[in-house]
Amino acid sequence: MSILHEKRDFVQKIAPCEKFRFTFSDACDKTMTESAHRARSIWNVPPLRHPHSRNIRKGWNSVQLSTPKQVQTQETKQKIYKAASSILKKKGYAYLTVSNICAVAGVSNGTFFYHFKTKDELLVYYNYQKFAEFREKNNFSEAVAGKAFDKRILLFYYYWSDYMLDVGLDFCCNYYNTKNTSIDTRRWHQRQPAYVWGYPDSCLQEAAEQGLLKPGYPPDHYGEVVVTIMKGIAFDWCLSGAAFDMHERLDEIMVPYLKSIQTAPPETTGA
């Protein structure tokens, strides 16, 4: 009798045995299992199945995947600064306390301090993230490509003024508050994890390395001055109830300053 016939007879004998249907694949080697499946197919016998095969066939719909830690962290931060933004817009900076933020976000104080040291660090993070998204959405990289350092800085503040319009006057009036230390660049200068004004600093540092800035002051000093100009324009815009165009005001104040800190171009002699 051939091996195939022996296997066929073997399968026919054990086919009715329910217990064996669950233990057959463990009791036999791979060759015997494959042969049994072929034989069952030939003789119209129900195929052997693993006891958990029904769960396997259900696929992804039956699987509960756990949320990765990184995603959970980002989602929690999103909830926290959405709550902070809502409080600023509706009630003002005076109501922006950690306890109020946690109550609106539905998180504990411990969770807040796990992600942020203070509410001002939260505001720095918030504006860093949201302004970065705003620039990306509006093609900032393409706009500054190939431009001189002063033009890139001016465009950066154009984008910031447009971002202020996007978040709204109410938010900006509460954000530009003298008690809000997150807008104090002397406190947050070059500080991690987020620094809103890092781009102008990098432009000025690059200009200094290329010998384009007047000596006497470091690039950080020039960076603080241009931030002060922007804050002054932003404060006045809030006080006026958005009564003027910030782009035009930047042209009137920041452009002359950026020109004043540049080294004079070399003189050219006539032929």
Side-chain angles (χ1 to χ4, degrees):
M1 182 180 293
S2 67
I3 295 176
L4 179 60
H5 285 92
E6 289 179 358
K7 290 180 179 179
R8 182 191 64 191
D9 293 342
F10 174 71
V11 169
Q12 285 179 305
K13 289 178 181 179
I14 56 85
C17 179
E18 191 67 23
K19 181 178 179 181
F20 190 84
R21 293 175 67 181
F22 293 138
T23 60
F24 180 70
S25 59
D26 296 328
C28 302
D29 61 15
K30 182 178 179 182
T31 304
M32 179 63 78
T33 303
E34 293 174 349
S35 300
H37 278 298
R38 288 196 298 270
R40 283 174 171 270
S41 177
I42 295 172
W43 295 97
N44 295 320
V45 177
L48 294 172
R49 289 176 180 169
H50 189 275
H52 303 301
S53 62
R54 183 175 299 176
N55 293 333
I56 294 172
R57 290 199 309 275
K58 288 182 180 180
W60 290 104
N61 293 333
S62 65
V63 178
Q64 297 296 325
L65 299 179
S66 60
T67 305
K69 185 71 173 179
Q70 184 177 5
V71 175
Q72 289 179 348
T73 298
Q74 191 61 34
E75 289 176 350
T76 302
K77 284 186 173 182
Q78 182 81 8
K79 285 169 58 178
I80 291 172
Y81 70 63
K82 275 188 175 181
S85 175
S86 176
I87 294 170
L88 273 176
K89 289 178 180 178
K90 295 177 180 179
K91 303 298 275 184
Y93 188 84
Y95 285 82
L96 191 69
T97 63
V98 172
S99 59
N100 285 343
I101 293 170
C102 293
V104 174
V107 301
S108 66
N109 284 23
T111 299
F112 178 93
F113 288 114
Y114 176 80
H115 296 290
F116 305 103
K117 294 179 181 178
T118 64
K119 66 180 181 181
D120 291 334
E121 184 172 290
L122 163 63
L123 289 174
V124 172
Y125 173 83
Y126 175 86
N127 276 310
Y128 181 86
Q129 293 291 331
K130 302 304 286 186
F131 185 41
E133 293 170 8
F134 180 85
R135 296 201 310 272
E136 183 177 0
K137 179 181 177 182
N138 292 281
N139 305 312
F140 175 77
S141 298
E142 290 82 353
V144 298
K147 299 285 196 307
F149 83 93
D150 56 330
K151 301 296 183 185
R152 283 181 280 149
I153 292 173
L154 184 63
L155 281 169
F156 178 87
Y157 289 113
Y158 278 172
Y159 271 69
W160 177 256
S161 60
D162 291 341
Y163 170 73
M164 289 177 61
L165 286 169
D166 189 63
V167 298
L169 179 62
D170 289 342
F171 177 87
C172 292
C173 286
N174 286 297
Y175 177 74
Y176 280 100
N177 185 301
T178 56
K179 294 181 179 180
N180 178 13
T181 59
S182 74
I183 60 177
D184 183 358
T185 54
R186 286 165 291 275
R187 181 187 296 260
W188 295 98
H189 190 74
Q190 300 291 346
R191 182 169 175 176
Q192 297 298 324
Y195 180 56
V196 177
W197 312 117
Y199 183 81
D201 280 356
S202 65
C203 293
L204 289 163
Q205 183 64 44
E206 178 185 324
E209 292 171 356
Q210 295 174 356
L212 301 177
L213 298 182
K214 289 181 178 179
Y217 292 103
D220 288 351
H221 170 79
Y222 294 131
E224 285 188 7
V225 174
V226 295
V227 170
T228 301
I229 292 172
M230 183 67 244
K231 284 191 292 188
I233 293 172
F235 265 109
D236 197 39
W237 181 80
C238 292
L239 287 172
S240 70
F244 59 85
D245 187 323
M246 284 186 281
H247 285 209
E248 294 179 359
R249 197 60 55 89
L250 283 164
D251 291 341
E252 293 171 353
I253 302 174
M254 188 171 289
V255 169
Y257 177 74
L258 289 172
K259 288 182 178 179
S260 73
I261 65 175
Q262 297 182 51
T263 56
E267 296 182 1
T268 57
T269 58

